[in-house]
Amino acid sequence: MSEKEEQDLPMNDGPAKPAMREALVAAAFELFLERGFEQTTVDDIVSLAGVGRRSFFRYFPAKEDVVFPDHERSLAEMTEFLESGSGEEDPVRHACDAARLVLRMYAEQPSFSVQRYRLTRKVPGLRAYELSVVWRYEHTLAAYLRGRFAARPDGPLRADVIAAAVVAAHNHALRTWLRSGGESDWVAEVDAAMAFVTGTWSDRPSEAAGEGESDEVVVLVASRRAPLWRMVQGIESALGGDTRQA
């Protein structure tokens, strides 16, 4: 066994493992920014980090995974949070609060998150990988909401639509923050985005009203055959929202 291989063998479960993982991420991004993602190989990364190839693949299945090192942990935290509910809370609000955990993960490392955003915009393969990660978050939210809406005739449809809305609102807040270079108030951005979702979809107006600017009661008269999007548009119009924008 070579000296390099001996260095790569796991010694214990102490702090060395996270340190090595962080070193690999740091080395990878240094090279991505210097040479470009496509021009950087795994061998280049491990050489700069001073470890062997086996160390890289112990933490990351592929080169793309080193760009998104925290999503597995974040997805696990979201799943645990959704399952921690009592079953009495507003499911839409609970799903929104779960999405906040993801944005908080980005906000914990603003410089890294902004670098990743800029890199992802330049590499189509990373954009596709990112979309697959987003789908996993949406799938997790939809599974939770399907369980909460199981007694409703429109439960599966409602769950899928609300999950998509939560993810879209979260991503809007996240992109706004990232485009500012991590300088804007991410808490205010996500609060506004999630308030829009709960205000639109929550069955508990008394809870949703506390997030908005008004606790007005709006009564909408519509045909039973009217599509849901038209009813939502009517409510927005009554509240003074601009429904002409997509």
Side-chain angles (χ1 to χ4, degrees), residues 218-233:
V218 176
V219 178
L220 176 68
V221 179
S223 168
R224 292 181 61 184
R225 297 182 180 179
L228 184 58
W229 66 266
R230 187 175 296 280
M231 289 187 279
V232 171
Q233 191 177 66

Side-chain angles (χ1 to χ4, degrees), residues 50-78:
V51 300
R53 283 176 60 88
R54 290 196 302 175
S55 293
F56 182 92
F57 292 110
R58 187 180 303 144
Y59 298 106
F60 306 107
K63 187 173 68 170
E64 289 77 9
D65 293 286
V66 77
V67 182
F68 305 94
D70 297 320
H71 279 296
E72 290 299 328
R73 172 178 62 84
S74 181
L75 187 64
E77 289 178 352
M78 171 188 275

